[in-house]
Amino acid sequence: MIVFFLARADNGVIGVDGRLPWQLPADLKRFKALTMGKPLVMGRKTFESFPAPLPGRRHIVLTRDRDWAAPGAEAAHEPGEALALAGNGEVAVIGGAEVFALFLDRADRIELTEVHVSPEGDAIVPGFSGWREIARESHPAEGDRPAHDFVTLVR
């Protein structure tokens, strides 16, 4: 089963300059809880945006660079190779935008944090049409933290 995990602004932005354009500790806590123990598939830029590999999870990094290597990462050069490395069970696809596009036709579920802001950004993911919402948990804005909804989508 392939599950997308992402936070997406109302205007589709998921990142700017290799980082998230907001601070939402609740989203990071949810991400950790839902992905712990699962293989993570991500692009090289997403991997390199982490200060260190995330504990308790394998990091399978899609890259076009055949010479790329990093401690804590397993390199793959095409989606099928990444899935073969991940093995059976739930695979967490965590970005960036190009990686989501590569796996969209294969995804089974989306764990989406809708962030109710419209920041500038350089990484954009279009809305998910043809998906059915099965869960939503709304959270109001709090201080400098924007309002957001945790949403589960299935085909």
Side-chain angles (χ1 to χ4, degrees):
M1 171 176 281
I2 297 173
V3 182
F4 283 11
F5 291 87
L6 73 152
R8 182 181 174 277
D10 291 335
N11 62 353
V13 168
I14 64 166
V16 61
D17 297 330
R19 60 178 178 75
L20 296 173
W22 48 73
Q23 297 226 333
L24 275 178
D27 176 53
L28 299 178
K29 183 177 175 181
R30 179 175 184 258
F31 173 82
K32 181 179 181 179
L34 293 175
T35 62
M36 188 56 70
K38 297 182 173 101
L40 306 178
V41 173
M42 69 201 80
R44 179 191 50 79
K45 289 187 248 178
T46 296
F47 179 80
E48 291 176 349
S49 75
F50 299 150
L54 304 175
R57 290 153 280 191
R58 288 175 55 212
H59 295 67
I60 300 168
V61 179
L62 265 173
T63 175
R64 292 180 198 91
D65 181 350
R66 300 249 169 216
D67 297 323
W68 184 87
E74 300 169 62
H77 305 290
E78 59 183 58
E81 184 183 356
L83 293 176
L85 280 171
N88 295 328
E90 189 172 301
V91 178
V93 174
I94 67 166
E98 289 180 53
V99 174
F100 288 128
L102 283 172
F103 284 95
L104 185 58
D105 291 343
R106 303 180 197 205
D108 300 293
R109 190 173 84 231
I110 299 171
E111 294 294 344
L112 173 65
T113 301
E114 293 178 344
V115 185
H116 300 302
V117 293
S118 293
E120 295 291 317
D122 53 20
I124 296 173
V125 170
F128 297 102
S129 60
W131 291 78
R132 183 171 49 93
E133 182 178 315
I134 61 167
R136 177 177 293 266
E137 184 182 310
S138 297
H139 300 272
E142 212 175 284
D144 60 351
R145 297 188 175 125
H148 57 282
D149 295 342
F150 296 141
V151 182
T152 301
L153 303 171
V154 295
R155 290 224 183 256

PDB file of all heavy atoms in Angstrom, residues 7-8 62-63 87 91 102-103 128 137 145 153:
ATOM      1  N   ALA A   7       1.835  18.101   3.772  1.00  0.00           N
ATOM      2  CA  ALA A   7       1.121  19.297   4.192  1.00  0.00           C
ATOM      3  C   ALA A   7       1.112  20.215   2.976  1.00  0.00           C
ATOM      4  O   ALA A   7       2.149  20.429   2.333  1.00  0.00           O
ATOM      5  CB  ALA A   7       1.812  19.955   5.374  1.00  0.00           C
ATOM      6  N   ARG A   8      -0.074  20.738   2.660  1.00  0.00           N
ATOM      7  CA  ARG A   8      -0.262  21.522   1.438  1.00  0.00           C
ATOM      8  C   ARG A   8      -1.073  22.763   1.766  1.00  0.00           C
ATOM      9  O   ARG A   8      -2.129  22.670   2.392  1.00  0.00           O
ATOM     10  CB  ARG A   8      -1.000  20.652   0.419  1.00  0.00           C
ATOM     11  CG  ARG A   8      -1.245  21.274  -0.909  1.00  0.00           C
ATOM     12  CD  ARG A   8      -2.030  20.286  -1.810  1.00  0.00           C
ATOM     13  NE  ARG A   8      -2.405  20.915  -3.043  1.00  0.00           N
ATOM     14  CZ  ARG A   8      -3.483  21.685  -3.183  1.00  0.00           C
ATOM     15  NH1 ARG A   8      -4.306  21.882  -2.192  1.00  0.00           N
ATOM     16  NH2 ARG A   8      -3.737  22.250  -4.343  1.00  0.00           N
ATOM     17  N   LEU A  62      14.887   8.747  -4.043  1.00  0.00           N
ATOM     18  CA  LEU A  62      14.872   8.729  -5.505  1.00  0.00           C
ATOM     19  C   LEU A  62      15.770   9.848  -6.016  1.00  0.00           C
ATOM     20  O   LEU A  62      15.593  11.007  -5.627  1.00  0.00           O
ATOM     21  CB  LEU A  62      13.456   8.972  -6.017  1.00  0.00           C
ATOM     22  CG  LEU A  62      12.621   7.757  -6.333  1.00  0.00           C
ATOM     23  CD1 LEU A  62      11.194   8.177  -6.674  1.00  0.00           C
ATOM     24  CD2 LEU A  62      13.205   6.941  -7.450  1.00  0.00           C
ATOM     25  N   THR A  63      16.714   9.481  -6.857  1.00  0.00           N
ATOM     26  CA  THR A  63      17.609  10.480  -7.436  1.00  0.00           C
ATOM     27  C   THR A  63      18.016  10.041  -8.832  1.00  0.00           C
ATOM     28  O   THR A  63      18.146   8.852  -9.111  1.00  0.00           O
ATOM     29  CB  THR A  63      18.862  10.681  -6.544  1.00  0.00           C
ATOM     30  OG1 THR A  63      19.758  11.587  -7.215  1.00  0.00           O
ATOM     31  CG2 THR A  63      19.588   9.377  -6.260  1.00  0.00           C
ATOM     32  N   GLY A  87       9.843  -3.020  -0.069  1.00  0.00           N
ATOM     33  CA  GLY A  87       9.277  -4.323   0.269  1.00  0.00           C
ATOM     34  C   GLY A  87       7.779  -4.262   0.473  1.00  0.00           C
ATOM     35  O   GLY A  87       7.116  -3.284   0.115  1.00  0.00           O
ATOM     36  N   VAL A  91       4.044   1.793   2.424  1.00  0.00           N
ATOM     37  CA  VAL A  91       5.177   2.617   2.025  1.00  0.00           C
ATOM     38  C   VAL A  91       4.728   4.071   2.113  1.00  0.00           C
ATOM     39  O   VAL A  91       3.704   4.452   1.541  1.00  0.00           O
ATOM     40  CB  VAL A  91       5.631   2.296   0.585  1.00  0.00           C
ATOM     41  CG1 VAL A  91       6.776   3.198   0.160  1.00  0.00           C
ATOM     42  CG2 VAL A  91       6.010   0.826   0.461  1.00  0.00           C
ATOM     43  N   LEU A 102       5.207  11.323  -9.583  1.00  0.00           N
ATOM     44  CA  LEU A 102       5.635  10.005 -10.067  1.00  0.00           C
ATOM     45  C   LEU A 102       4.797   8.864  -9.500  1.00  0.00           C
ATOM     46  O   LEU A 102       4.585   7.854 -10.161  1.00  0.00           O
ATOM     47  CB  LEU A 102       7.095   9.748  -9.686  1.00  0.00           C
ATOM     48  CG  LEU A 102       8.169  10.441 -10.502  1.00  0.00           C
ATOM     49  CD1 LEU A 102       9.541  10.224  -9.852  1.00  0.00           C
ATOM     50  CD2 LEU A 102       8.170   9.929 -11.933  1.00  0.00           C
ATOM     51  N   PHE A 103       4.332   9.001  -8.264  1.00  0.00           N
ATOM     52  CA  PHE A 103       3.624   7.915  -7.583  1.00  0.00           C
ATOM     53  C   PHE A 103       2.104   8.095  -7.553  1.00  0.00           C
ATOM     54  O   PHE A 103       1.405   7.211  -7.051  1.00  0.00           O
ATOM     55  CB  PHE A 103       4.140   7.760  -6.150  1.00  0.00           C
ATOM     56  CG  PHE A 103       5.462   7.079  -6.061  1.00  0.00           C
ATOM     57  CD1 PHE A 103       6.633   7.815  -6.005  1.00  0.00           C
ATOM     58  CD2 PHE A 103       5.550   5.694  -6.048  1.00  0.00           C
ATOM     59  CE1 PHE A 103       7.874   7.186  -5.933  1.00  0.00           C
ATOM     60  CE2 PHE A 103       6.783   5.055  -5.979  1.00  0.00           C
ATOM     61  CZ  PHE A 103       7.941   5.798  -5.919  1.00  0.00           C
ATOM     62  N   PHE A 128      -6.073  17.156  -5.254  1.00  0.00           N
ATOM     63  CA  PHE A 128      -6.285  15.737  -5.540  1.00  0.00           C
ATOM     64  C   PHE A 128      -7.729  15.518  -5.972  1.00  0.00           C
ATOM     65  O   PHE A 128      -8.629  15.464  -5.133  1.00  0.00           O
ATOM     66  CB  PHE A 128      -5.948  14.889  -4.302  1.00  0.00           C
ATOM     67  CG  PHE A 128      -4.507  14.996  -3.896  1.00  0.00           C
ATOM     68  CD1 PHE A 128      -4.127  15.787  -2.826  1.00  0.00           C
ATOM     69  CD2 PHE A 128      -3.521  14.313  -4.600  1.00  0.00           C
ATOM     70  CE1 PHE A 128      -2.795  15.891  -2.452  1.00  0.00           C
ATOM     71  CE2 PHE A 128      -2.184  14.409  -4.242  1.00  0.00           C
ATOM     72  CZ  PHE A 128      -1.831  15.207  -3.167  1.00  0.00           C
ATOM     73  N   GLU A 137     -10.167  16.294  10.547  1.00  0.00           N
ATOM     74  CA  GLU A 137     -10.039  16.827  11.909  1.00  0.00           C
ATOM     75  C   GLU A 137      -9.565  18.268  11.767  1.00  0.00           C
ATOM     76  O   GLU A 137      -8.457  18.511  11.280  1.00  0.00           O
ATOM     77  CB  GLU A 137      -9.019  15.973  12.664  1.00  0.00           C
ATOM     78  CG  GLU A 137      -8.827  16.330  14.105  1.00  0.00           C
ATOM     79  CD  GLU A 137      -7.744  15.453  14.739  1.00  0.00           C
ATOM     80  OE1 GLU A 137      -7.804  14.212  14.590  1.00  0.00           O
ATOM     81  OE2 GLU A 137      -6.830  16.027  15.359  1.00  0.00           O
ATOM     82  N   ARG A 145       0.479  30.115  14.373  1.00  0.00           N
ATOM     83  CA  ARG A 145       0.259  28.834  13.689  1.00  0.00           C
ATOM     84  C   ARG A 145      -1.071  28.882  12.949  1.00  0.00           C
ATOM     85  O   ARG A 145      -2.111  29.157  13.550  1.00  0.00           O
ATOM     86  CB  ARG A 145       0.286  27.689  14.694  1.00  0.00           C
ATOM     87  CG  ARG A 145       1.665  27.623  15.341  1.00  0.00           C
ATOM     88  CD  ARG A 145       1.866  26.418  16.194  1.00  0.00           C
ATOM     89  NE  ARG A 145       3.240  26.418  16.653  1.00  0.00           N
ATOM     90  CZ  ARG A 145       3.599  26.356  17.919  1.00  0.00           C
ATOM     91  NH1 ARG A 145       2.687  26.238  18.866  1.00  0.00           N
ATOM     92  NH2 ARG A 145       4.875  26.375  18.246  1.00  0.00           N
ATOM     93  N   LEU A 153      -7.694  10.822   2.573  1.00  0.00           N
ATOM     94  CA  LEU A 153      -8.346  10.613   1.269  1.00  0.00           C
ATOM     95  C   LEU A 153      -8.048   9.197   0.778  1.00  0.00           C
ATOM     96  O   LEU A 153      -6.944   8.687   0.972  1.00  0.00           O
ATOM     97  CB  LEU A 153      -7.812  11.611   0.236  1.00  0.00           C
ATOM     98  CG  LEU A 153      -7.930  13.095   0.571  1.00  0.00           C
ATOM     99  CD1 LEU A 153      -7.161  13.926  -0.448  1.00  0.00           C
ATOM    100  CD2 LEU A 153      -9.380  13.525   0.622  1.00  0.00           C
TER     101      LEU A 153
END
